[in-house]
Structures are given as C-alpha cells and as structure tokens.
Amino acid sequence: MTRQPRRIRAIRALFALTVVLVSVLGTVPAQAVSYDPITGTGSTWSQNALDQWRKNVASNYGMTVNYSGVGSSAGRRDFVAGNVDFAVSEIPFQTRPEDNSAPEVPSRGYAYMPIVAGGSSFMYNLKIGGVRVSNLRLSGAVITKIFTGVITKWNDPAIQTDNPGLAMPDKGIVPVVRSDGSGSTAQFTLWMSKQHPDLWSAFCAKAGRTSCGLTSQYPTYGNAKAQSGSSGVAGYVSQDYGEGAITYVEYSYALEAGFPVAKVLNAAGYYVEPTADSVAVALLQAQIKTDVPVTSPDYLTQILDGVYNNADARSYPLSSYSYMIVPTAVGGVFTEKKGLTLGAFANYMLCEGQQQAEALGYSPLPMNLVLAGFDQIKRVPGADVSGVDINKCNNPTFKPGDSPSSNQLAVTAAQPAECDKVGTSQCTTGTAGAPADTPTSGTGTGGAAAGGAGGTAAVDAAAAAAGPADAVAAVYDENGALVSGGPAGGAGSGLVGTAVASPFTLADTGWGVQQSIMLVAGILLIGAAVLPPVLWRRLKPLAAKVGLK
C-alpha cells in the first residue's frame, strides 16, 4: 500500500482537529461548561415574558430554567423556605402579611432585580346589540367603584359619562378578582389605596379588614368571582358566560385571549391604553429607592406615586415593573454552580430578552433599571460578571451614549388622539387583542386613536402565536368547571377545573448559537472528507517535482 503523502495527512489532521474542537464547543454550553438547572416560582403577571425567555435560553445556550407561576405570595414563601433558586414578585417581602401569616424573612441574603415593566390592565367582555365593545374607557374612580361593589351595572351614569360614544347596556357587572396571593392584586390595591383612599377604606371596613392599604389577598364581596392566577381570571372573562365580566390582569393575557382592555383616564385628561410606549412614558416619573445601601432589603423597590399622577398625556397610570428575587448567598437548594446559570439568565433578560417585551405585551426596562440590575447580578454567588457590560447590552430602550434617565420608547411615543380626551367624542379604535373598531352607538362622536392596537407588534405577535383554527376550544360552566374540549395536554395539563387562558409565547425562531455551531461543524466535516483529495490533485504536480512520496 502506498504511504499517504505527508501533506495530505497534515491537511486531514488539521480538518479533523477543527471538527473535534467545534463539536466540543457545540456541546459544552449545553452540558459540560455546564449550566446547572435552576428553578423559580412566583408571579403570573410576568410569566408570559419568563416563559418565552426560558424557551430562548434553552434553545440558544442549552440552559434549563424551570418556572412555575404560583402567584407572588407563594413564590416569596418558597424563597423564604429555601425551596427555589429564585422567586418573582411585584412587591417586596412582607414583614407583616395582611393574612396574619408568618413574616416573610429569608434566612439567606437576597436582592431585588427588575426584570420587565408593564401595565396592569382591565380586560373585559361586553357587547352592545350583539357587537363586542373594544373601546371602553374608564376613570380611576369608576374602576375603584366597580371593584368595591359601588357600581354594579354597565349603564351606570358614571360609566356612561366616560363613554359618550357608546349606549351602555343595562347589564350587571361581574368583577373577577384573584383568589390567590397575588402581586397583581397588590399593585392594583396599592393604586386604589393611594388614589381613592376613601372608597378603598370603606370597602375594606365592610369586608371586615381593620387595615387595608396594599394587600395581596383581595377581599371577597357581592357577586365578584375569584379565580386563581392571571390565566384563571383572564380565562373566566374570555368565556361566553363571562359576558359582563371585567378583571385586572397583565396586558399580555388580554393580547393572547384576543380581548380588549379599558383605556384608563390619566392626570392629563386622556384615556390611555397600556402599550409599551405609554408604560415607558409613565415610568419616567417612577422613583426607585437607591438612596439606601445596595445590601438594604429596600434597594431598588419602586415608589409609584409620580407614575399614578404623571401629567404627560401619553402616560398609563397603572404602570410598574416586576422583580426577580435573587440570592446573594448560598443556601437552601441554591449553590454557587447554580449561580453561574442564574447570572447568565439574568443578563439575558435585562438585555437581549427585552427586545421581545413589547411583542409579549410588556414594556422593556429602561437603562437606569438595567444598570441597577447589573449591580444585583454581581452579588449572585458564582455568577460570571465578565459579560455584564452596558455597552454590549442589546436593549431597545437605549443606545450607546444615552443617559440613564433617557428612554427611546418615551422619546418616540406618539401623543394621544383628540378623541381619547375627556369630552363628547370617543375613539372607535379597538384595544389589546381586539383591534376591530366599535361602531358609535351613543350620543358622542367617533374618531380613530393614534397608533391603534391594530398596528402594534404585540397584536401581530398574538395573531402569529394563535393556535390552529381547528383546535377544540375549552368550554367551562359559570363556576369555572371544564365542560368540554380543552387545552392540549388534557387532564394532565393541570388546567381542568378552572377557566384559563393559555400562556402567550412567541413562535420559536428555530435557530440559535447551538444551531450555528452545528452548521459550521457539518461544513467542516464535509470539508475534511472532500477537500484533501481535491487539494492533493492540485498539489500532485508540485510534489512530483520535489520527489515527495
């Protein structure tokens, strides 16, 4: 057998080594460099964003992040018990819980890290003459009266005043509230206690609460329906029997369900939808507690009084952001190796993940919160902080050279249309997941809203994420029990027994770092087999001249 020439052996060896290296690099992020799996529980308010981000990092980086939306209160309790690596909540730990449960005092160090902003919206199911209403407007006082049992009919004069373009129907209102300890409830009740304290205090006293400012546990009353989780309250409203119902829920769930949300009256006298832009504008007036040490349990907690009363006509009053509670010391199930995963996931959320916030029904975090979040990542044991760099952060709210107080979404946000102003006109343009216009039926005039829901990236994403047309829809009775049909997964999905809305995530792009590496490896493998003979044929005449054997 003729011995293989040294040149061709060298070429084959070089290609083989390259293929081996690329193959190793392709498997390390998913296995040996290893990202240990991490687990968290908590908020359903921000769950749609978290579920999309978990999917992204699994596909692109081989990272496993488990998360269960059990409610903010349960998430904080899980963190206190050391049963999870992180928790997500809209409010800090409660040292004096209103349900008289034990104070929430973790035995290990922790920090609050902002993860996503958004608007607490009011999703509803209402028809006039058989036509769905998609342009409802409500003032803060009316919202508070609805959720405290003072206003019980849709044709109440106060609601009619908010809606001059609609002939409000003589139909009972069914408020739908959270049955579980909820950050959504806490944010909503904090707003009512600050903006309409007399109404809220009177309601709490009637419900048997001695003190009731911010509360995670909504008092039950009258004909209100209580459902568990954001998907539960949104699911109830979206059923046929939910006509006449209204709930408070993250905007993302209304998008996914294909239902509208009420435009809320702001301090400038305009009724505004909780879009990414209106939330970004509102949060310019948020105060973030940074006048305490980074190690303080109050560091980065939000003060929203300025948001509620923001005089900018573009702002949405009930805007806020959600926290991830991260450990700053090893303890419970959390280890330093898990800290590597948690740090990488947190960095992804603050930067790249924010690109998808608007499409998911949220508002991306501004630069000042991202910088503050970076400080918190640096406190997580085991986190690799080498990639924590604001100049490499692909976040849509800022660009290189921007000031932390700036927000690109707020800079470009459009002014509301005149028909959204208090008066005798009312924009007919639909909102959230129901972009179709609502015909004018009242005494007022109509008009088109600026930047109506029909053109938003969020609605486009909701349409793209919709399930197949021939899917069997779930049907529930008025108590939330499944009658027929149901979501994929059947009984094993854990959704039977309550009306729910499916999680809203974006379609998988199907391509990431792992896929790119595998493509390069495949090309090199083909090259290792094909190129050496081709190169040898070209080099053979030269080899003959020098007597190579």
Side-chain angles (χ1 to χ4, degrees):
M1 184 190 310
T2 305
R3 193 171 64 179
Q4 193 177 48
R6 284 178 293 172
R7 284 176 183 262
I8 198 168
R9 289 203 305 271
I11 292 170
R12 286 189 184 278
L14 178 60
F15 272 101
L17 179 60
T18 304
V19 170
V20 169
L21 287 175
V22 171
S23 298
V24 170
L25 288 173
T27 57
V28 161
Q31 305 191 18
V33 166
S34 243
Y35 286 120
D36 278 16
I38 57 174
T39 299
T41 59
S43 168
T44 58
W45 187 92
S46 51
Q47 184 174 4
N48 283 342
L50 281 164
D51 284 348
Q52 181 63 45
W53 295 336
R54 294 191 304 115
K55 181 180 178 182
N56 294 350
V57 297
S59 173
N60 293 337
Y61 308 112
M63 193 183 299
T64 300
V65 180
N66 301 303
Y67 183 76
S68 178
V70 294
S72 294
S73 295
R76 295 194 305 273
R77 286 195 295 268
D78 286 342
F79 190 92
V80 169
N83 297 331
V84 293
D85 302 303
F86 66 90
V88 179
S89 175
E90 280 69 63
I91 60 172
F93 286 111
Q94 302 296 289
T95 55
R96 300 176 65 182
E98 72 277 356
D99 61 356
N100 296 318
S101 59
E104 299 172 353
V105 183
S107 58
R108 54 178 165 163
Y110 63 91
Y112 300 115
M113 189 191 81
I115 57 170
V116 72
S120 294
S121 69
F122 299 92
M123 174 180 160
Y124 62 94
N125 184 344
L126 185 64
K127 294 179 180 178
I128 296 177
V131 178
R132 177 181 292 178
V133 175
S134 61
N135 64 335
L136 184 72
R137 313 194 311 189
L138 297 174
S139 67
V142 167
I143 290 169
T144 304
K145 288 177 180 179
I146 288 173
F147 283 93
T148 56
V150 177
I151 290 179
T152 59
K153 289 281 192 129
W154 281 110
N155 64 346
D156 187 279
I159 298 181
Q160 188 63 74
T161 298
D162 281 337
N163 296 275
L166 300 175
M168 299 305 296
D170 181 12
K171 186 172 185 62
I173 299 173
V174 179
V176 182
V177 302
R178 290 284 291 272
S179 61
D180 54 326
S182 157
S184 299
T185 296
Q187 291 286 21
F188 180 35
T189 58
L190 175 64
W191 173 79
M192 288 191 288
S193 70
K194 294 273 190 177
Q195 298 301 104
H196 305 283
D198 293 343
L199 286 168
W200 183 239
S201 296
F203 169 71
C204 287
K206 188 176 179 180
R209 299 277 186 95
T210 55
S211 175
C212 197
L214 173 154
T215 177
S216 297
Q217 307 282 344
Y218 207 98
T220 55
Y221 69 100
N223 69 329
K225 298 290 184 180
Q227 298 287 307
S228 178
S230 296
S231 59
V233 294
Y236 186 97
V237 171
S238 65
Q239 299 300 310
D240 288 343
Y241 62 74
E243 186 180 347
I246 184 170
T247 191
Y248 56 92
V249 71
E250 165 51 35
Y251 186 67
S252 179
Y253 287 84
L255 284 175
E256 182 277 331
F259 273 74
V261 299
K263 290 185 176 181
V264 177
L265 184 63
N266 65 23
Y270 284 86
Y271 295 91
V272 177
E273 181 181 355
T275 62
D277 288 357
S278 64
V279 170
V281 171
L283 288 178
L284 290 176
Q285 295 301 317
Q287 293 182 333
I288 304 159
K289 191 169 279 297
T290 55
D291 58 350
V292 294
V294 174
T295 54
S296 167
D298 293 327
Y299 182 67
L300 292 193
T301 55
Q302 53 193 325
I303 303 171
L304 299 173
D305 300 64
V307 174
Y308 301 155
N309 300 296
N310 192 329
D312 193 311
R314 304 169 298 168
S315 67
Y316 183 74
L318 282 89
S319 299
S320 58
Y321 60 87
S322 189
Y323 307 110
M324 175 178 279
I325 303 171
V326 298
T328 58
V330 170
V333 299
F334 179 72
T335 64
E336 195 164 310
K337 284 192 68 177
K338 288 184 174 183
L340 176 66
T341 310
L342 184 56
F345 183 51
N347 193 8
Y348 176 85
M349 289 190 296
L350 290 172
C351 296
E352 193 68 33
Q354 299 296 315
Q355 293 282 348
Q356 295 178 306
E358 180 176 359
L360 289 165
Y362 298 87
S363 185
L365 293 175
M367 184 187 230
N368 60 330
L369 288 181
V370 173
L371 287 168
F374 280 176
D375 288 339
Q376 303 296 55
I377 293 176
K378 294 172 184 176
R379 300 176 60 201
V380 175
D384 179 3
V385 299
S386 61
V388 179
D389 184 350
I390 198 67
N391 294 314
K392 298 177 182 178
C393 186
N394 188 19
N395 180 302
T397 67
F398 56 86
K399 60 184 187 299
D402 276 355
S403 161
S405 62
S406 69
N407 188 321
Q408 290 298 312
L409 270 67
V411 169
T412 59
Q415 292 292 330
E418 280 303 300
C419 55
D420 274 328
K421 191 175 183 179
V422 171
T424 58
S425 65
Q426 180 171 1
C427 296
T428 59
T429 310
T431 59
D437 285 4
T438 299
T440 299
S441 56
T443 59
T445 57
T456 64
V459 172
D460 293 341
D470 58 353
V472 179
V475 178
Y476 301 88
D477 66 21
E478 62 181 7
N479 296 312
L482 183 68
V483 175
S484 64
S493 67
L495 301 178
V496 175
T498 182
V500 298
S502 303
F504 175 28
T505 57
L506 302 181
D508 189 358
T509 61
W511 202 263
V513 174
Q514 293 287 105
Q515 290 84 354
S516 298
I517 291 174
M518 294 303 293
L519 175 63
V520 173
I523 292 172
L524 288 173
L525 187 60
I526 293 171
V530 174
L531 288 179
V534 173
L535 290 175
W536 175 243
R537 283 196 296 272
R538 291 181 177 274
L539 293 172
K540 192 172 181 181
L542 178 62
K545 287 182 181 180
V546 297
L548 185 60
K549 304 214 173 173

